[in-house]
Amino acid sequence: MGWLTRSMDWSSMPVGPVDLWPESLKTSVAICLRSKFPIVIWWGPEHLTQFYNDAYISFLGKTKHPGALGQSARECWKELWHIIDPMLKGVFETGEATWSQDLPLMIDRVMPREEGYFTFSYSGIPQNDLTIGGIFCACVETTDRVIGERQLSLLRELAARTTEARAWQEACRLSADALATDRHDLPFTLMYIVDEEMRTISLAATSGISAERTIIPQCVALDNSLWPFAKVLESNAPCSILNLQGLLGDVPTGPWPQPPTQAMALPIQPAGQTGKAGVLIVGLNPHRPVDDKYQRFLSLVAAQVSANIADAYSYEQESKRAEALAEIDRAKTAFFSNVSHEFRTPLTLILGTTEEGLNSGECALRGAELELVHRNELRLLKLVNNLLDFSRIEAGRVEATYEPTDIAAFTAGLASSFRSAMQRAGLEFEVDCQQISEPVFIDRDMWEKIVLNLLSNAFKFTFEGKVTVSIQLVDGWIKLQVSDTGTGIPAHELPHIFERFHRVANAKGRSYEGTGIGLALVQELVKLHGGSVKVQSNEGEGSCFTVLIPKGKNHLPQDRIGGTRSMASSAIRASSYADEALQWAASQFRSNRRRSSWVHAGSNRVDRLSPRGRDRV
Ligand code: ADP
């Protein structure tokens, strides 16, 4: 600047030739040019001729320097003149210096009306006659510090506000609330989260812009045309969005007089394999260049938003895991209490009877006693078999063997084993198994368990009226229906009836026995046949269980068709179910004679247990 100042022809300018300059101007210019601190001098109250040093060049930028040397300050700083002029007038009139700290000034520098902050003082340069001949201004730019502090406070806010978030949606909302606290740097933001299959992306939160605006997509395919979602997610890198006006139309301005012209789309990175990925779209400050510093700040914002979402999401997952563990624990407790009761009753009967036999003179059991022991042994075996089947299915170790079967005859045979119990209980029993022309592929042991469990329940919960078993071929499906005119199931229990260990509290049945396994087992066995089971029931009117399995064998694993059996160990006999039913009928007959009606099953507890593992089968 020293060289430029010397080579300038000052004689043709309002300040005149250097030789005629007052001493105070010469001294001030000399100090200015020698100083390493940014200094500008404006000489003459009218023209305000501008002198400056090397350190001051950065205030002027390429558009003003070097033309600003010798230029009138009024001309050079016309965009700020409404602020500067009153200050200068005060100095010229009173001789008192000004002091401005971190004063925001919108200067035409790298871009028109660039946001900047400056600390400076205007002091008068006295002439020989003690009037003020010009202004000496030492100034320092504080833009980086002021904007840096603002951005730091946003990042602090972003981390602090979301600590209480318990779900990722809440983390998005709270993050957006925090982003709204710095609308200078982030005039508006849109937070999008990708769905689990990575096919669509949905708006989760916004700041500075209404989410209801029709132009803003709420849930769109990743490759939609408005925002570069797919590009950002694939490259995992930010992407500039130019021509914001063209895309959005009416762009919100935030605290600025003008709206942003560009935006930036930044990746929200998932934590781990299962976290939430997304894209954060940020409208950019229209008065700052998008330089490295700004971009680094935006990356920090996106990283903090990602961390907020990841923290809340992992908290959510952790709570779900804890809840699932608690559920398993509840299931275990329910199972133990159901099952231990189920084991104790027959064991007590066996023990009591055998002890009597041992104490008798013959040391033997005969007739009715021996039958009672045998019956209870069968009951125990049935229970253990059910448990074994269930645990094998749960562990995914069961392999069915599908054999071509005359399903109508097979089912009718199974049903017939209940006939005498039904008769004894005074129930009408209808077996309507229509002949099906082609053989149906079923695992016979499994089918036996399906039919017997449903029939046994129908008998257990029906005190008068009718039980019906039917088989039909309907639209390529084999339809088994077991219906009764019994107690029915309360509507609120129906969604849980196939859950493991679930029993209806205070259900009226012929026996309080039960583990809550029967229907869960039926459902698993039906699934192994590629089918489904459902129930329709009205309390006090009766229930109808419908099993549907596809006909043919294409839906079945080909290597299990007609192969060797693997459930042989748990094969049961229909007689064990029928015997149990006869026993219930007999005890009802006895208790009727004692004028008592029926037994209340189970405890008051309503066991709602998750169907864990069912989907594994
Ligand atoms: P369990 O019979 O061992 O209790 P299940 O899984 O077979 O277990 O049945 C669960 C519950 O569903 C039974 O306790 C009973 O309350 C209800 N239930 C099942 N079948 C019927 C039915 N036909 N009528 C009324 N209630 C039924």
Side-chain angles (χ1 to χ4, degrees):
M1 283 310 300
W3 178 83
L4 259 183
T5 310
R6 271 194 303 277
S7 50
M8 194 89 161
D9 178 14
W10 295 103
S11 56
S12 60
M13 295 187 172
V15 75
V18 178
D19 301 343
L20 300 180
W21 286 3
E23 275 313 307
S24 52
L25 173 59
K26 283 186 189 161
T27 313
S28 300
V29 171
I31 294 170
C32 162
L33 291 174
R34 283 189 172 87
S35 176
K36 302 277 181 218
F37 200 85
I39 292 172
V40 64
I41 290 167
W42 295 323
W43 189 257
E46 289 311 313
H47 186 254
L48 292 164
T49 306
Q50 185 161 258
F51 300 89
Y52 55 91
N53 61 6
D54 291 328
Y56 189 79
I57 294 173
S58 67
F59 290 58
L60 296 160
K62 285 192 186 123
T63 48
K64 288 180 174 159
H65 170 78
L69 182 62
Q71 198 181 19
S72 164
R74 241 184 228 99
E75 187 55 30
C76 180
W77 295 111
K78 54 178 179 294
E79 73 272 21
L80 299 180
W81 206 244
H82 59 290
I83 301 170
I84 296 176
D85 193 37
M87 294 188 191
L88 296 186
K89 278 192 177 128
V91 180
F92 277 113
E93 280 163 21
T94 64
E96 222 170 280
T98 64
W99 174 247
S100 303
Q101 189 158 3
D102 298 333
L103 188 74
L105 296 172
M106 308 291 276
I107 55 175
D108 296 343
R109 189 165 54 174
V110 175
M111 62 200 301
R113 303 191 54 71
E114 181 189 326
E115 181 192 10
Y117 296 85
F118 302 89
T119 295
F120 57 91
S121 171
Y122 293 143
S123 43
I125 304 171
Q127 304 185 93
N128 288 344
D129 59 2
L130 295 182
T131 57
I132 303 295
I135 302 290
F136 186 94
C137 170
C139 51
V140 59
E141 179 164 4
T142 55
T143 308
D144 283 352
R145 182 177 55 71
V146 173
I147 294 184
E149 279 172 9
R150 184 171 78 199
Q151 295 180 341
L152 199 63
S153 120
L154 177 270
L155 290 169
R156 253 198 315 267
E157 194 72 15
L158 196 53
R161 280 211 192 193
T162 50
T163 48
E164 297 299 310
R166 294 289 174 259
W168 67 265
Q169 292 92 336
E170 198 186 353
C172 291
R173 197 175 42 74
L174 292 173
S175 298
D177 289 351
L179 296 180
T181 61
D182 179 10
R183 292 190 63 196
H184 287 94
D185 294 302
L186 312 163
F188 72 85
T189 67
L190 298 160
M191 212 176 285
Y192 282 91
I193 300 295
V194 185
D195 73 352
E196 249 138 59
E197 284 85 38
M198 295 287 283
R199 267 183 296 183
T200 58
I201 190 159
S202 310
L203 187 62
T206 64
S207 69
I209 191 166
S210 164
E212 270 88 57
R213 288 177 56 176
T214 43
I215 193 91
I216 296 172
Q218 301 292 316
C219 176
V220 283
L222 283 183
D223 52 1
N224 85 104
S225 54
L226 189 65
W227 306 121
F229 294 129
K231 189 172 168 197
V232 172
L233 288 165
E234 265 161 36
S235 63
N236 203 19
C239 172
S240 290
I241 301 167
L242 307 170
N243 183 25
L244 208 49
Q245 245 87 15
L247 289 173
L248 276 186
D250 178 19
V251 185
T253 56
W256 301 116
Q258 291 166 30
T261 54
Q262 336 179 14
M264 184 83 83
L266 300 128
I268 294 176
Q269 284 168 351
Q273 293 285 305
T274 55
K276 294 275 162 199
V279 174
L280 178 69
I281 293 169
V282 179
L284 300 182
N285 180 347
H287 299 288
R288 286 295 307 163
V290 188
D291 55 12
D292 282 356
K293 281 183 215 146
Y294 198 6
Q295 289 191 25
R296 264 201 305 277
F297 162 69
L298 294 175
S299 300
L300 285 174
V301 168
Q304 187 60 52
V305 168
S306 308
N308 293 348
I309 295 171
D311 285 353
Y313 187 65
S314 62
Y315 178 90
E316 222 179 322
Q317 298 299 98
E318 203 48 56
S319 322
K320 278 191 189 146
R321 266 196 293 278
E323 180 52 33
L325 284 177
E327 190 102 330
I328 290 169
D329 200 49
R330 280 197 289 276
K332 204 175 66 186
T333 313
F335 168 74
F336 281 132
S337 70
N338 284 352
V339 136
S340 47
H341 188 84
E342 283 303 287
F343 275 112
R344 204 179 50 186
T345 315
L347 271 176
T348 312
L349 288 170
I350 293 170
L351 270 176
T353 317
T354 42
E355 270 166 19
E356 272 172 32
L358 284 171
N359 293 336
S360 70
E362 294 173 64
C363 203
L365 284 178
R366 289 208 161 71
E369 278 79 29
L370 192 57
E371 265 174 31
L372 185 137
V373 169
H374 186 231
R375 221 173 26 241
N376 281 291
E377 284 166 352
L378 284 178
R379 192 170 146 198
L380 280 176
L381 181 65
K382 191 184 108 190
L383 184 66
V384 171
N385 282 343
N386 268 348
L387 287 174
L388 272 177
D389 287 348
F390 201 81
S391 72
R392 279 185 205 156
I393 290 174
E394 286 260 290
R397 279 190 289 113
V398 76
E399 281 175 333
T401 302
Y402 306 97
E403 293 171 273
T405 308
D406 177 351
I407 197 165
F410 186 55
T411 309
L414 293 171
S416 67
S417 60
F418 270 76
R419 192 162 294 282
S420 61
M422 297 281 181
Q423 266 167 8
R424 180 64 86 84
L427 294 176
E428 204 183 318
F429 187 39
E430 187 183 328
V431 180
D432 173 19
C433 294
Q434 293 173 10
Q435 189 64 38
I436 289 165
S437 55
E438 51 189 299
V440 179
F441 284 81
I442 51 167
D443 180 297
R444 291 188 197 154
D445 286 347
M446 293 188 185
W447 189 253
E448 189 172 312
K449 289 187 174 86
I450 294 169
V451 175
L452 294 176
N453 266 302
L454 294 179
L455 252 178
S456 156
N457 278 345
F459 180 74
K460 187 164 154 189
F461 295 101
T462 307
F463 293 91
E464 53 193 20
K466 187 174 178 183
V467 172
T468 310
V469 181
S470 69
I471 284 268
Q472 286 169 280
L473 179 64
V474 181
D475 298 335
W477 293 80
I478 310 299
K479 181 170 159 189
L480 163 72
Q481 276 191 317
V482 178
S483 58
D484 62 63
T485 56
T487 55
I489 301 165
H492 68 275
E493 292 284 355
L494 289 174
H496 307 285
I497 210 76
F498 293 103
E499 290 176 8
R500 295 183 306 164
F501 314 129
H502 183 81
R503 305 192 69 208
V504 176
N506 297 327
K508 291 167 192 159
R510 290 178 188 278
S511 153
Y512 57 79
E513 288 159 8
T515 48
I517 291 181
L519 289 180
L521 185 63
V522 165
Q523 190 177 53
E524 297 302 344
L525 296 173
V526 171
K527 273 192 199 165
L528 286 169
H529 285 79
S532 64
V533 57
K534 61 180 184 174
V535 60
Q536 198 268 317
S537 183
N538 291 322
E539 212 175 348
E541 290 177 21
S543 313
C544 177
F545 287 82
T546 305
V547 172
L548 285 172
I549 60 165
K551 75 169 195 169
K553 55 182 175 180
N554 292 342
H555 60 286
L556 299 169
Q558 296 303 302
D559 56 329
R560 302 306 311 166
I561 293 176
T564 45
R565 289 154 174 268
S566 64
M567 279 187 85
S569 68
S570 68
I572 47 145
R573 276 182 299 174
S575 62
S576 67
Y577 279 83
D579 285 354
E580 193 175 43
L582 266 173
Q583 228 179 311
W584 293 335
S587 67
Q588 191 209 357
F589 177 70
R590 282 195 298 275
S591 61
N592 275 350
R593 284 179 40 186
R594 288 200 303 271
R595 299 180 63 81
S596 76
S597 56
W598 42 47
V599 186
H600 286 263
S603 62
N604 287 328
R605 201 184 55 236
V606 179
D607 301 321
R608 288 203 180 144
L609 303 165
S610 81
R612 183 180 67 87
R614 203 173 282 164
D615 297 338
R616 251 186 291 134
V617 178

